[in-house]
């Protein structure tokens, strides 16, 4: 049986019309559903009684539930969301740095991941399956509820949980349409970011989709030799082709891209690599996020990584700033709740 998260206003209106009800009820029903973070009380709705019965018979309230909730001292909350169709994914709520009444949500797009990036926990047990759009919306609602329970507002969503969103793009785009639909309470597209390992065809499809969300690109190295050591996908799309696609995305959408760069000791942290990064990005306007490596134990290859010493990371940052890039360290959050991608699920599976 489908749940409310499997509908948008149009598809619910169609169902209602087919059953002889006013399609206009669809917007009211989904507004209440999203406005209350998925906690819908049909009895409180002023709709015809038979419609209430029909909704109960035909649409489940939810298709997922929170199996585990880890709250960190810094306000980060990590949820393990169990899906009715099987499997579990991680969703994380993070306090925003400047405004404490706002929170950012991080959602997963797949169960497991096929990319094999050596420093990432999400890929350690391989790929299980794509999430459907409803399962992504479910996570957003759990995060919204978690935020409102702590007097915060879920203000942004990033697709930086488990999985590679560009390899599940139709579902990711449909989920974005549902959560950003102006007819129901939700999150503006300006406040949504899709993060990719560098699937060039996906970047181009998203650029052409008209969704105009933000793009984050996990570059992690300025040269192919280094990048191929940690990111197997680099064999398919190299650094130059990813940078070109990022340029195109910016040209089409007008959005300033985020370049993500996980800092790994002795691997991608030299001054030469910082200068090379500046060079390959050329005049591109970009925000560069340096992410100190969050330890996950041995990677897929068995290699063990470390974050570089602070001094070296600061030097790297300075070179980027001297070149007039907007560059920052991503504040490490929720260290005490296994908040790196894929860590909570692994700790439960193993
Ligand atoms: N598949 C998408 C989303 C992944 S997670 C992508 O590759 O962008 C979001 C970011 O966290 C990515 O930049 C990813 O490379 C980074 N990341 C994953 N594991 C990490 C770890 N252990 N320490 C620091 N950053 C990590």
């Amino acid at each position: 049986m489908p749940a409310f998260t499997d509908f948008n206003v149009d598809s619910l209106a169609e169902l209602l019309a087919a059953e002889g009800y006013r399609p206009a009820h669809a917007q009211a029903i989904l507004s209440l559903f999203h406005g209350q973070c998925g906690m819908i009380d049909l009895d409180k709705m002023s709709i015809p009684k038979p419609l209430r019965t029909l909704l109960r018979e035909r649409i489940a309230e939810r298709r997922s539930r929170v199996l585990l909730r880890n709250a960190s001292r810094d306000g980060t909350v990590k949820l393990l969301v169990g899906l009715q169709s099987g499997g579990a994914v991680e969703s994380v709520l993070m306090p925003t740095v400047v405004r404490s009444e706002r929170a950012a949500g991080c959602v997963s797009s797949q169960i497991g991941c096929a990319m094999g990036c050596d420093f990432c926990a999400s890929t350690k047990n391989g790929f299980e399956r794509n999430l459907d759009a409803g399962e992504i919306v479910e996570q957003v609602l759990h995060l919204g509820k978690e935020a409102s329970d702590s007097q915060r507002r879920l203000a942004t969503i990033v697709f930086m949980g488990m999985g590679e969103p560009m390899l599940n793009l139709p579902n990711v785009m449909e989920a974005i349409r549902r959560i950003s639909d102006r007819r129901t309470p939700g999150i503006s597209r300006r406040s949504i970011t899709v993060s990719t390992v560098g699937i060039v065809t996906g970047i181009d499809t998203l650029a052409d989709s008209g969704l105009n969300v933000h793009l984050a690109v996990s570059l992690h190295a300025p040269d192919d030799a280094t990048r191929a050591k940690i990111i197997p996908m680099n064999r398919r799309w190299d650094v130059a082709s990813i940078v070109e696609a990022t340029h195109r995305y910016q040209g089409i959408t007008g959005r300033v891209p985020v370049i993500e760069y996980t800092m790994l000791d002795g691997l991608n942290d030299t001054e030469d690599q910082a200068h090379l990064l500046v060079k390959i990005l050329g005049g591109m306007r970009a925000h560069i996020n340096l992410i100190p490596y969050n330890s996950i134990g041995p990677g897929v290859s068995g290699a063990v990584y470390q974050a570089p010493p602070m001094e070296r990371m600061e030097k790297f940052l300075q070179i980027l700033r001297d070149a007039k890039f907007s560059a920052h360290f991503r504040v490490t959050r929720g260290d005490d709740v296994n908040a790196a991608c894929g860590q909570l699920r692994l700790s439960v599976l193993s």
Side-chain angles (χ1 to χ4, degrees):
M1 179 152 86
F4 284 106
T5 46
D6 293 317
F7 289 90
N8 58 31
V9 174
D10 304 312
S11 58
L12 185 59
E14 243 172 65
L15 184 144
L16 298 184
E19 297 291 334
Y21 293 100
R22 282 200 299 126
H25 286 308
Q27 185 174 348
I29 293 166
L30 286 181
S31 290
L32 186 78
F33 178 72
H34 285 277
Q36 301 190 342
C37 305
M39 315 292 279
I40 192 164
D41 187 351
L42 292 172
D43 290 329
K44 291 213 175 111
M45 283 210 77
S46 53
I47 49 174
K49 216 171 164 192
L51 173 56
R52 213 173 284 156
T53 312
L54 175 91
L55 291 172
R56 285 218 173 90
E57 281 169 5
R58 297 279 292 276
I59 305 177
E61 264 180 38
R62 297 297 292 271
R63 286 177 55 208
S64 70
R65 66 193 175 92
V66 174
L67 299 177
L68 254 178
R69 178 185 178 278
N70 279 359
S72 163
R73 283 180 298 275
D74 66 15
T76 302
V77 180
K78 185 148 190 169
L79 305 176
L80 187 68
V81 177
L83 304 163
Q84 211 169 61
S85 339
V89 288
E90 302 177 357
S91 319
V92 186
L93 187 74
M94 296 161 286
T96 49
V97 182
V98 267
R99 293 166 65 181
S100 62
E101 78 282 7
R102 291 161 52 113
C106 174
V107 294
S108 297
S109 54
Q110 300 181 316
I111 306 188
C113 185
M115 296 299 91
C117 301
D118 211 26
F119 51 87
C120 179
S122 294
T123 204
K124 277 193 181 184
N125 283 11
F127 171 70
E128 249 177 65
R129 69 171 174 90
N130 279 334
L131 298 184
D132 63 34
E135 291 172 321
I136 297 170
V137 178
E138 288 276 330
Q139 298 174 64
V140 174
L141 294 174
H142 287 302
L143 292 170
K145 171 81 173 57
E146 185 60 52
S148 84
D149 285 351
S150 52
Q151 283 74 52
R152 293 183 279 180
R153 187 172 70 80
L154 181 61
T156 58
I157 285 291
V158 294
F159 282 82
M160 291 186 186
M162 302 179 79
E164 170 48 47
M166 296 300 188
L167 295 181
N168 184 18
L169 205 47
N171 288 317
V172 165
M173 292 200 302
E174 177 55 24
I176 292 172
R177 282 189 204 99
R178 286 187 205 163
I179 60 178
S180 64
D181 190 334
R182 287 214 185 91
R183 295 169 292 181
T184 51
I187 289 153
S188 128
R189 291 179 184 172
R190 254 183 296 131
S191 305
I192 297 176
T193 301
V194 175
S195 176
T196 179
V197 71
I199 308 290
V200 165
T201 44
I203 296 174
D204 286 333
T205 306
L206 190 63
D208 294 334
S209 71
L211 283 176
N212 261 34
V213 291
H214 287 278
L215 176 74
V217 176
S218 295
L219 202 57
H220 306 322
D223 62 284
D224 289 315
T226 310
R227 196 167 188 272
K229 280 187 201 158
I230 45 175
I231 302 177
M233 219 2 138
N234 199 71
R235 274 178 235 122
R236 177 74 181 79
W237 284 291
D238 62 8
V239 171
S241 66
I242 295 169
V243 171
E244 276 168 30
T246 309
H247 262 294
R248 283 197 295 277
Y249 191 90
Q250 181 167 34
I252 292 171
T253 63
R255 299 288 190 208
V256 177
V258 176
I259 303 291
E260 291 164 282
Y261 198 102
T262 293
M263 301 223 62
L264 301 160
D265 187 32
L267 215 122
N268 63 2
D269 58 349
T270 66
E271 292 183 27
D272 282 351
Q273 283 164 318
H275 288 297
L276 188 56
L277 181 59
V278 168
K279 190 168 161 219
I280 63 155
L281 292 179
M284 189 195 299
R285 255 190 87 203
H287 300 295
I288 305 176
N289 257 348
L290 299 181
I291 317 169
Y293 168 67
N294 201 332
S295 184
I296 59 153
V300 183
S301 73
V304 174
Y305 301 96
Q306 270 185 314
M310 200 57 209
E311 235 187 296
R312 206 172 321 137
M313 293 198 285
E314 270 169 359
K315 182 71 208 169
F316 200 98
L317 180 78
Q318 201 49 53
I319 292 170
L320 302 178
R321 287 189 168 168
D322 289 347
K324 305 283 178 263
F325 278 104
S326 138
H328 300 274
F329 285 119
R330 160 124 28 108
V331 188
T332 307
R333 296 220 173 262
D335 258 356
D336 53 335
V337 293
N338 287 330
C341 310
Q343 279 189 347
L344 181 67
R345 180 165 163 277
L346 268 193
S347 73
V348 172
L349 289 178
S350 50

